[in-house]
Coordinates of all heavy atoms in Angstrom, one line a residue:
M1 N -84.1 -14.3 59.8 CA -83.9 -14.5 58.4 C -84.1 -13.2 57.7 O -84.8 -12.4 58.1 CB -85.0 -15.5 58.0 CG -84.9 -15.9 56.4 SD -86.0 -17.1 56.0 CE -87.0 -16.3 54.8
C2 N -83.4 -13.0 56.6 CA -83.5 -11.9 55.8 C -83.7 -12.3 54.4 O -83.2 -13.3 53.8 CB -82.1 -11.1 55.9 SG -82.1 -9.7 54.9
T3 N -84.5 -11.5 53.7 CA -84.8 -11.8 52.3 C -84.1 -10.6 51.4 O -84.4 -9.5 51.7 CB -86.3 -11.8 51.9 OG1 -86.9 -12.8 52.7 CG2 -86.5 -12.1 50.5
V4 N -83.3 -11.0 50.5 CA -82.6 -10.1 49.6 C -83.2 -10.4 48.2 O -83.1 -11.5 47.8 CB -81.2 -10.3 49.6 CG1 -80.5 -9.4 48.6 CG2 -80.6 -10.1 51.0
T5 N -83.6 -9.3 47.5 CA -84.1 -9.5 46.2 C -83.1 -8.9 45.2 O -82.8 -7.7 45.3 CB -85.5 -8.8 46.0 OG1 -86.5 -9.4 47.0 CG2 -86.1 -9.0 44.6
L6 N -82.7 -9.7 44.3 CA -81.8 -9.2 43.2 C -82.5 -9.3 42.0 O -83.2 -10.3 41.6 CB -80.5 -10.1 43.2 CG -79.7 -10.2 44.5 CD1 -78.6 -11.2 44.3 CD2 -79.1 -8.9 44.8
S7 N -82.1 -8.3 41.1 CA -82.7 -8.3 39.8 C -81.5 -8.1 38.9 O -80.6 -7.4 39.1 CB -83.7 -7.2 39.6 OG -83.2 -6.0 39.7
F8 N -81.5 -8.9 37.8 CA -80.4 -8.9 36.8 C -80.8 -9.4 35.5 O -81.9 -10.1 35.4 CB -79.1 -9.6 37.4 CG -79.3 -11.1 37.4 CD1 -78.8 -11.9 36.4 CD2 -80.0 -11.7 38.4 CE1 -79.0 -13.3 36.5 CE2 -80.1 -13.0 38.5 CZ -79.6 -13.8 37.5
N9 N -80.0 -9.2 34.5 CA -80.4 -9.7 33.2 C -79.9 -11.2 33.1 O -78.7 -11.5 33.2 CB -79.6 -8.8 32.1 CG -79.9 -9.3 30.7 OD1 -80.5 -10.3 30.5 ND2 -79.3 -8.7 29.7
E10 N -80.9 -12.0 33.1 CA -80.6 -13.5 33.1 C -79.8 -13.9 31.9 O -79.3 -15.0 31.9 CB -81.8 -14.3 33.3 CG -82.6 -14.1 34.6 CD -83.9 -14.8 34.7 OE1 -84.3 -15.6 33.8 OE2 -84.6 -14.7 35.7
K11 N -79.8 -13.1 30.9 CA -79.1 -13.5 29.6 C -77.6 -13.0 29.7 O -76.8 -13.4 28.9 CB -79.7 -12.9 28.4 CG -81.2 -13.4 28.2 CD -81.8 -12.7 27.0 CE -83.3 -13.3 26.8 NZ -84.0 -12.6 25.8
D12 N -77.3 -12.2 30.8 CA -75.9 -11.8 31.0 C -75.1 -12.9 31.6 O -75.3 -13.2 32.8 CB -75.9 -10.5 31.8 CG -74.6 -10.0 32.0 OD1 -73.5 -10.6 31.9 OD2 -74.5 -8.8 32.4
K13 N -74.2 -13.4 30.9 CA -73.4 -14.6 31.4 C -72.6 -14.3 32.7 O -72.6 -15.0 33.6 CB -72.4 -15.1 30.3 CG -71.6 -16.3 30.6 CD -70.7 -16.7 29.6 CE -69.8 -17.9 30.1 NZ -68.8 -18.4 29.1
V14 N -72.0 -13.1 32.7 CA -71.2 -12.7 33.8 C -72.1 -12.5 35.1 O -71.7 -13.0 36.2 CB -70.4 -11.3 33.6 CG1 -69.7 -10.9 34.9 CG2 -69.5 -11.6 32.5
A15 N -73.3 -11.9 34.9 CA -74.2 -11.8 36.1 C -74.7 -13.2 36.6 O -74.8 -13.4 37.7 CB -75.4 -10.9 35.7
S16 N -74.9 -14.1 35.7 CA -75.3 -15.4 36.0 C -74.3 -16.1 36.7 O -74.5 -16.8 37.8 CB -75.8 -16.2 34.8 OG -76.9 -15.6 34.2
E17 N -73.1 -15.9 36.3 CA -71.8 -16.6 37.0 C -71.7 -16.1 38.4 O -71.4 -16.8 39.4 CB -70.6 -16.4 36.1 CG -70.6 -17.3 34.9 CD -69.4 -16.9 34.0 OE1 -68.6 -16.0 34.3 OE2 -69.3 -17.6 33.0
K18 N -71.8 -14.7 38.5 CA -71.7 -14.1 39.9 C -72.8 -14.6 40.8 O -72.6 -14.7 41.9 CB -71.6 -12.6 39.8 CG -70.4 -12.1 39.2 CD -70.2 -10.6 39.1 CE -68.9 -10.2 38.4 NZ -67.9 -9.7 39.2
L19 N -74.0 -14.7 40.3 CA -75.0 -15.2 41.1 C -74.8 -16.6 41.5 O -75.0 -17.0 42.7 CB -76.4 -15.1 40.4 CG -77.6 -15.7 41.1 CD1 -77.8 -14.9 42.5 CD2 -78.8 -15.6 40.3
A20 N -74.3 -17.4 40.7 CA -74.0 -18.9 40.9 C -72.9 -18.9 42.0 O -73.0 -19.7 42.9 CB -73.5 -19.6 39.8
A21 N -71.9 -18.1 41.9 CA -70.8 -18.0 42.9 C -71.3 -17.6 44.3 O -70.9 -18.2 45.3 CB -69.7 -17.0 42.4
L22 N -72.3 -16.6 44.2 CA -72.9 -16.1 45.5 C -73.7 -17.2 46.1 O -73.5 -17.5 47.3 CB -73.8 -14.9 45.3 CG -74.4 -14.3 46.5 CD1 -73.4 -13.7 47.3 CD2 -75.5 -13.2 45.9
L23 N -74.5 -17.9 45.4 CA -75.3 -19.1 45.9 C -74.4 -20.2 46.4 O -74.8 -20.9 47.3 CB -76.3 -19.5 44.9 CG -77.4 -18.4 44.5 CD1 -78.3 -19.0 43.3 CD2 -78.2 -18.2 45.8
S24 N -73.3 -20.4 45.7 CA -72.4 -21.5 46.1 C -71.7 -21.4 47.5 O -71.3 -22.3 48.0 CB -71.4 -21.8 45.1 OG -70.4 -20.7 45.1
T25 N -71.8 -20.2 48.0 CA -71.1 -19.9 49.3 C -72.0 -20.5 50.4 O -71.5 -20.8 51.5 CB -71.0 -18.4 49.7 OG1 -72.3 -17.8 49.7 CG2 -70.2 -17.7 48.6
G26 N -73.2 -20.7 50.1 CA -74.1 -21.4 51.2 C -74.8 -20.3 52.0 O -75.6 -20.7 52.9
L27 N -74.4 -19.1 51.9 CA -74.9 -18.0 52.8 C -76.2 -17.6 52.3 O -77.1 -17.0 53.0 CB -73.9 -16.8 52.8 CG -72.6 -17.1 53.4 CD1 -71.7 -15.9 53.2 CD2 -72.7 -17.5 54.9
F28 N -76.6 -17.9 51.0 CA -77.9 -17.5 50.4 C -78.5 -18.7 49.8 O -77.8 -19.6 49.3 CB -77.7 -16.4 49.4 CG -77.1 -15.1 50.0 CD1 -75.7 -14.9 50.0 CD2 -77.9 -14.2 50.5 CE1 -75.2 -13.7 50.6 CE2 -77.4 -13.0 51.1 CZ -76.0 -12.8 51.1
V29 N -79.9 -18.7 49.6 CA -80.5 -19.7 48.9 C -81.5 -19.0 48.0 O -81.9 -17.9 48.3 CB -81.3 -20.7 49.8 CG1 -80.4 -21.6 50.6 CG2 -82.3 -20.0 50.6
Q30 N -81.8 -19.6 46.9 CA -82.6 -19.0 45.9 C -84.1 -19.6 46.2 O -84.3 -20.8 46.2 CB -82.2 -19.4 44.4 CG -83.0 -18.6 43.4 CD -82.3 -18.8 42.1 OE1 -81.4 -19.6 41.9 NE2 -82.7 -18.0 41.1
L31 N -85.0 -18.7 46.3 CA -86.4 -19.1 46.7 C -87.2 -19.2 45.3 O -86.8 -18.6 44.4 CB -87.1 -18.1 47.6 CG -86.5 -18.0 49.0 CD1 -87.2 -16.9 49.8 CD2 -86.6 -19.3 49.7
N32 N -88.2 -20.0 45.3 CA -89.1 -19.9 44.2 C -89.7 -18.6 43.9 O -90.2 -18.0 44.8 CB -90.2 -20.9 44.4 CG -91.1 -21.2 43.3 OD1 -91.1 -20.5 42.3 ND2 -91.9 -22.2 43.3
R33 N -89.5 -18.1 42.7 CA -90.0 -16.8 42.4 C -91.6 -16.6 42.6 O -92.0 -15.6 42.9 CB -89.7 -16.4 41.0 CG -88.3 -16.2 40.7 CD -88.1 -15.8 39.3 NE -86.7 -15.6 39.0 CZ -86.2 -15.3 37.8 NH1 -87.1 -15.2 36.8 NH2 -84.9 -15.2 37.6
Q34 N -92.2 -17.7 42.5 CA -93.7 -17.6 42.6 C -94.2 -17.7 44.1 O -95.3 -17.4 44.4 CB -94.4 -18.9 41.9 CG -93.9 -19.0 40.5 CD -94.1 -17.8 39.6 OE1 -95.0 -17.1 39.8 NE2 -93.1 -17.5 38.8
E35 N -93.2 -18.0 45.0 CA -93.6 -18.0 46.4 C -93.9 -16.7 47.0 O -93.0 -15.7 46.8 CB -92.3 -18.7 47.2 CG -92.6 -19.0 48.6 CD -91.4 -19.6 49.2 OE1 -90.8 -20.4 48.6 OE2 -91.2 -19.2 50.5
N36 N -95.0 -16.5 47.6 CA -95.3 -15.3 48.2 C -94.8 -15.2 49.7 O -95.1 -16.1 50.5 CB -96.9 -15.1 48.2 CG -97.4 -13.8 48.8 OD1 -96.5 -13.0 49.2 ND2 -98.6 -13.6 48.9
L37 N -93.9 -14.2 49.9 CA -93.3 -14.2 51.2 C -94.0 -13.4 52.3 O -93.7 -13.4 53.4 CB -91.9 -13.6 51.1 CG -90.9 -14.3 50.2 CD1 -89.6 -13.5 50.0 CD2 -90.6 -15.7 50.7
D38 N -95.2 -12.9 51.9 CA -96.0 -12.2 52.9 C -95.3 -11.1 53.6 O -95.4 -11.0 54.9 CB -96.7 -13.1 53.8 CG -98.2 -13.0 53.9 OD1 -98.7 -12.2 53.1 OD2 -98.8 -13.7 54.6
I39 N -94.5 -10.3 53.0 CA -93.7 -9.2 53.7 C -94.5 -7.9 53.5 O -94.9 -7.6 52.3 CB -92.4 -9.1 53.1 CG1 -91.6 -10.5 53.3 CG2 -91.6 -8.0 53.6 CD1 -90.2 -10.5 52.7
D40 N -94.7 -7.1 54.5 CA -95.3 -5.8 54.4 C -94.2 -4.8 54.3 O -93.6 -4.4 55.3 CB -96.2 -5.5 55.7 CG -96.8 -4.2 55.7 OD1 -96.7 -3.5 54.6 OD2 -97.3 -3.7 56.8
Y41 N -93.9 -4.4 53.1 CA -92.8 -3.5 52.8 C -93.1 -2.1 53.3 O -92.2 -1.2 53.3 CB -92.5 -3.5 51.3 CG -91.8 -4.8 50.9 CD1 -92.6 -5.7 50.2 CD2 -90.5 -5.1 51.1 CE1 -92.0 -7.0 49.8 CE2 -89.9 -6.3 50.8 CZ -90.7 -7.2 50.1 OH -90.1 -8.4 49.8
T42 N -94.3 -1.8 53.7 CA -94.6 -0.5 54.3 C -94.3 -0.3 55.7 O -94.4 0.7 56.3 CB -96.1 -0.1 54.0 OG1 -97.0 -1.1 54.7 CG2 -96.5 -0.1 52.5
D43 N -94.0 -1.4 56.4 CA -93.7 -1.5 57.8 C -92.4 -0.8 58.0 O -91.3 -1.3 57.6 CB -93.7 -2.9 58.3 CG -93.4 -3.0 59.8 OD1 -93.3 -1.9 60.4 OD2 -93.2 -4.2 60.3
P44 N -92.3 0.3 58.7 CA -91.1 1.1 58.9 C -90.0 0.3 59.7 O -88.8 0.5 59.6 CB -91.4 2.4 59.6 CG -92.8 2.2 60.1 CD -93.4 1.1 59.3
T45 N -90.5 -0.6 60.6 CA -89.5 -1.3 61.5 C -88.8 -2.3 60.6 O -87.7 -2.7 61.0 CB -90.3 -2.0 62.6 OG1 -91.1 -3.0 62.0 CG2 -91.0 -1.1 63.5
L46 N -89.2 -2.6 59.4 CA -88.5 -3.5 58.5 C -87.1 -3.0 58.1 O -86.2 -3.7 57.8 CB -89.3 -3.7 57.3 CG -88.8 -4.7 56.2 CD1 -88.8 -6.1 56.8 CD2 -89.8 -4.8 55.0
Y47 N -87.0 -1.6 58.2 CA -85.8 -1.0 57.7 C -84.9 -0.4 58.8 O -83.9 0.2 58.6 CB -86.2 0.1 56.8 CG -87.1 -0.3 55.6 CD1 -88.4 -0.2 55.6 CD2 -86.5 -1.0 54.5 CE1 -89.2 -0.6 54.6 CE2 -87.2 -1.5 53.5 CZ -88.6 -1.2 53.5 OH -89.4 -1.7 52.5
E48 N -85.3 -0.7 60.1 CA -84.5 -0.3 61.2 C -83.3 -1.3 61.5 O -83.5 -2.5 61.3 CB -85.4 -0.3 62.4 CG -86.4 0.9 62.5 CD -87.2 0.8 63.7 OE1 -87.0 0.1 64.7 OE2 -88.2 1.6 63.8
D49 N -82.3 -0.7 61.8 CA -81.0 -1.5 62.2 C -80.9 -1.5 63.6 O -80.6 -0.6 64.3 CB -79.8 -1.0 61.5 CG -78.6 -1.8 61.8 OD1 -78.7 -2.9 62.2 OD2 -77.5 -1.3 61.4
S50 N -81.2 -2.7 64.2 CA -81.3 -2.8 65.7 C -79.9 -3.3 66.3 O -79.7 -3.4 67.4 CB -82.4 -3.7 66.2 OG -82.2 -5.0 65.6
A51 N -78.9 -3.6 65.4 CA -77.7 -4.1 65.8 C -76.9 -3.0 66.5 O -76.8 -1.8 66.0 CB -76.9 -4.7 64.7
P52 N -76.2 -3.3 67.7 CA -75.5 -2.3 68.3 C -74.3 -1.8 67.4 O -73.6 -2.7 66.8 CB -75.0 -2.9 69.5 CG -75.1 -4.3 69.3 CD -76.2 -4.5 68.3
Q53 N -74.1 -0.5 67.3 CA -73.1 0.0 66.4 C -71.8 0.2 67.2 O -71.8 0.6 68.4 CB -73.5 1.3 65.7 CG -74.7 1.2 64.9 CD -74.5 0.3 63.7 OE1 -73.5 0.4 63.1 NE2 -75.4 -0.7 63.5
P54 N -70.6 -0.1 66.6 CA -69.4 0.2 67.3 C -69.1 1.6 67.4 O -69.7 2.4 66.7 CB -68.3 -0.6 66.5 CG -69.0 -0.6 65.1 CD -70.4 -0.7 65.3
E55 N -68.3 2.0 68.3 CA -67.9 3.3 68.4 C -67.3 3.9 67.1 O -66.5 3.2 66.5 CB -66.8 3.5 69.5 CG -66.2 4.9 69.6 CD -65.0 4.9 70.6 OE1 -64.8 4.0 71.3 OE2 -64.2 5.9 70.6
E56 N -67.9 5.0 66.6 CA -67.4 5.5 65.3 C -66.1 6.3 65.5 O -66.1 7.2 66.3 CB -68.5 6.3 64.7 CG -69.7 5.5 64.2 CD -70.6 6.2 63.3 OE1 -70.2 7.2 62.7 OE2 -71.8 5.8 63.2
K57 N -65.1 5.8 64.7 CA -63.8 6.5 64.8 C -63.5 6.8 63.4 O -63.9 6.1 62.4 CB -62.9 5.7 65.5 CG -63.1 5.3 66.9 CD -62.2 4.4 67.6 CE -60.8 4.4 67.2 NZ -60.0 3.4 68.0
E58 N -62.6 7.7 63.1 CA -62.1 7.9 61.7 C -61.2 6.8 61.3 O -61.3 6.4 60.1 CB -61.4 9.3 61.7 CG -61.1 9.7 60.3 CD -60.6 11.2 60.2 OE1 -60.8 11.9 61.2 OE2 -60.0 11.5 59.2
F59 N -60.4 6.3 62.2 CA -59.5 5.2 61.8 C -59.5 4.1 62.9 O -59.7 4.4 64.0 CB -58.1 5.7 61.7 CG -57.9 6.8 60.7 CD1 -57.9 8.0 61.0 CD2 -57.7 6.4 59.3 CE1 -57.6 9.0 60.0 CE2 -57.6 7.3 58.3 CZ -57.5 8.7 58.7
Y60 N -59.5 2.9 62.5 CA -59.4 1.7 63.3 C -58.1 1.0 63.1 O -57.6 1.0 62.0 CB -60.5 0.8 63.0 CG -61.9 1.3 63.4 CD1 -62.6 1.9 62.4 CD2 -62.4 1.1 64.7 CE1 -63.9 2.4 62.7 CE2 -63.7 1.7 65.0 CZ -64.4 2.3 64.0 OH -65.6 2.7 64.3
T61 N -57.5 0.5 64.2 CA -56.3 -0.4 64.1 C -56.7 -1.7 63.5 O -58.0 -2.1 63.5 CB -55.7 -0.7 65.4 OG1 -56.6 -1.4 66.2 CG2 -55.3 0.7 66.2
P62 N -55.9 -2.5 62.8 CA -56.3 -3.8 62.3 C -56.9 -4.7 63.4 O -57.8 -5.5 63.2 CB -55.0 -4.4 61.8 CG -54.2 -3.1 61.4 CD -54.5 -2.1 62.4
E63 N -56.3 -4.6 64.6 CA -56.9 -5.4 65.7 C -58.3 -5.0 66.1 O -59.1 -5.9 66.4 CB -56.0 -5.3 66.9 CG -54.5 -5.8 66.8 CD -53.6 -4.9 66.0 OE1 -53.9 -3.7 65.9 OE2 -52.6 -5.5 65.6
E64 N -58.6 -3.7 66.1 CA -59.9 -3.3 66.4 C -60.9 -3.7 65.3 O -62.0 -4.2 65.6 CB -60.0 -1.7 66.4 CG -59.3 -1.1 67.7 CD -59.2 0.4 67.6 OE1 -59.0 1.0 66.5 OE2 -59.4 1.0 68.7
L65 N -60.5 -3.6 64.0 CA -61.4 -4.1 63.0 C -61.6 -5.6 63.0 O -62.7 -6.1 62.8 CB -60.8 -3.8 61.6 CG -60.7 -2.3 61.2 CD1 -60.0 -2.1 59.9 CD2 -62.1 -1.8 61.0
R66 N -60.6 -6.3 63.3 CA -60.7 -7.8 63.5 C -61.7 -8.1 64.7 O -62.6 -9.0 64.5 CB -59.4 -8.4 63.9 CG -59.4 -9.9 64.1 CD -58.1 -10.5 64.6 NE -58.2 -11.9 64.9 CZ -58.7 -12.4 66.0 NH1 -59.2 -11.6 67.0 NH2 -58.8 -13.7 66.2
D67 N -61.6 -7.4 65.8 CA -62.5 -7.6 66.9 C -63.9 -7.3 66.6 O -64.9 -8.1 66.9 CB -62.1 -6.8 68.1 CG -60.8 -7.3 68.8 OD1 -60.3 -8.4 68.4 OD2 -60.2 -6.5 69.5
I68 N -64.2 -6.2 65.8 CA -65.5 -6.0 65.4 C -66.1 -7.0 64.4 O -67.2 -7.4 64.6 CB -65.5 -4.5 64.7 CG1 -65.2 -3.4 65.7 CG2 -66.8 -4.2 64.0 CD1 -64.9 -2.1 65.1
L69 N -65.2 -7.4 63.4 CA -65.7 -8.4 62.5 C -66.0 -9.7 63.2 O -67.1 -10.3 63.0 CB -64.6 -8.6 61.4 CG -64.9 -9.7 60.4 CD1 -66.1 -9.3 59.6 CD2 -63.7 -9.9 59.5
I70 N -65.1 -10.2 64.1 CA -65.3 -11.5 64.8 C -66.6 -11.3 65.6 O -67.4 -12.2 65.7 CB -64.1 -11.8 65.6 CG1 -62.9 -12.1 64.8 CG2 -64.5 -13.0 66.5 CD1 -63.1 -13.2 63.8
S71 N -66.8 -10.3 66.3 CA -68.0 -10.1 67.1 C -69.3 -10.1 66.2 O -70.3 -10.8 66.6 CB -67.9 -8.7 67.9 OG -69.1 -8.4 68.5
D72 N -69.3 -9.4 65.1 CA -70.4 -9.5 64.2 C -70.7 -10.8 63.7 O -71.9 -11.3 63.6 CB -70.2 -8.5 63.1 CG -70.3 -7.0 63.4 OD1 -70.7 -6.8 64.6 OD2 -69.9 -6.2 62.6
L73 N -69.7 -11.6 63.3 CA -69.8 -13.0 62.9 C -70.4 -13.8 63.9 O -71.3 -14.7 63.7 CB -68.5 -13.5 62.3 CG -68.1 -12.9 61.0 CD1 -66.6 -13.4 60.6 CD2 -69.0 -13.2 59.8
K74 N -69.9 -13.7 65.1 CA -70.4 -14.5 66.2 C -71.9 -14.3 66.5 O -72.7 -15.2 66.7 CB -69.6 -14.3 67.5 CG -68.2 -14.9 67.5 CD -67.5 -14.6 68.9 CE -66.2 -15.3 68.9 NZ -65.5 -15.0 70.2
D75 N -72.2 -13.0 66.4 CA -73.7 -12.6 66.6 C -74.5 -13.2 65.4 O -75.6 -13.7 65.7 CB -73.9 -11.1 66.7 CG -73.3 -10.5 67.9 OD1 -73.1 -11.2 68.9 OD2 -73.1 -9.3 67.9
A76 N -74.0 -13.1 64.2 CA -74.8 -13.5 63.0 C -75.0 -15.1 63.1 O -76.1 -15.5 62.7 CB -74.1 -13.1 61.8
Y77 N -74.0 -15.8 63.6 CA -74.1 -17.2 63.6 C -74.5 -17.8 65.0 O -74.6 -19.0 65.1 CB -72.8 -17.9 63.1 CG -72.6 -17.7 61.6 CD1 -71.8 -16.7 61.1 CD2 -73.2 -18.6 60.8 CE1 -71.6 -16.5 59.8 CE2 -73.1 -18.4 59.4 CZ -72.2 -17.4 58.9 OH -72.0 -17.3 57.5
G78 N -74.8 -16.9 65.9 CA -75.2 -17.3 67.2 C -74.2 -18.1 68.0 O -74.5 -18.9 68.8
V79 N -72.9 -17.8 67.7 CA -71.8 -18.5 68.4 C -71.4 -17.6 69.6 O -71.2 -16.4 69.5 CB -70.6 -18.7 67.4 CG1 -69.4 -19.3 68.2 CG2 -70.9 -19.5 66.3
R80 N -71.3 -18.2 70.7 CA -71.1 -17.5 71.9 C -69.6 -17.7 72.5 O -68.9 -16.8 73.0 CB -72.0 -17.7 73.1 CG -73.4 -17.4 72.7 CD -73.6 -15.9 72.7 NE -75.0 -15.6 72.2 CZ -75.2 -14.8 71.1 NH1 -74.3 -14.3 70.4 NH2 -76.5 -14.6 70.8
D81 N -69.1 -18.9 72.4 CA -67.8 -19.2 73.1 C -66.7 -19.8 72.1 O -65.8 -20.3 72.6 CB -68.1 -20.2 74.2 CG -68.7 -21.5 73.7 OD1 -69.1 -21.5 72.5 OD2 -68.9 -22.4 74.4
A82 N -66.9 -19.5 70.9 CA -65.8 -20.0 70.0 C -64.7 -19.0 70.0 O -64.8 -17.9 70.2 CB -66.5 -20.1 68.5
V83 N -63.5 -19.5 69.6 CA -62.3 -18.8 69.5 C -62.3 -18.0 68.2 O -62.5 -18.6 67.2 CB -61.0 -19.6 69.7 CG1 -59.8 -18.8 69.7 CG2 -61.1 -20.3 71.1

């Protein structure tokens, strides 16, 4: 699980609409603001990216980009054998 904190002007109609659209995807949920998440933000491992990085190239073919994206999505959703 990952916690993302967004701050925006709640009176800004466009910002509120964009937040509603983001939440409607189902990828994110809004937590109670008063809820204490007990996160130690001084922990340096909190900011480490442990995901394996693809070979860095200047340009990727569309097929290579698709493979990277599909692999990342499978990892994120825990899917191993889906097409």
Side-chain angles (χ1 to χ4, degrees):
M1 182 173 121
C2 175
T3 301
V4 177
T5 303
L6 299 175
S7 60
F8 68 100
N9 181 353
E10 293 178 4
K11 296 177 183 176
D12 183 342
K13 182 179 177 183
V14 173
S16 295
E17 289 172 353
K18 290 187 184 250
L19 177 60
L22 182 65
L23 293 173
S24 73
T25 65
L27 297 174
F28 298 93
V29 294
Q30 190 168 11
L31 298 177
N32 183 348
R33 290 183 182 177
Q34 309 306 323
E35 186 177 319
N36 184 359
L37 297 177
D38 232 6
I39 298 173
D40 178 12
Y41 291 101
T42 62
D43 180 3
T45 61
L46 185 64
Y47 304 99
E48 291 179 3
D49 185 8
S50 60
Q53 299 298 315
E55 173 189 346
E56 290 193 22
K57 296 168 46 174
E58 189 170 342
F59 298 100
Y60 291 95
T61 66
E63 292 79 17
E64 290 172 323
L65 288 173
R66 179 189 176 278
D67 291 343
I68 292 170
L69 178 62
I70 296 297
S71 174
D72 288 349
L73 288 171
K74 284 181 178 180
D75 289 344
Y77 287 98
V79 176
R80 300 286 176 240
D81 57 356
V83 177

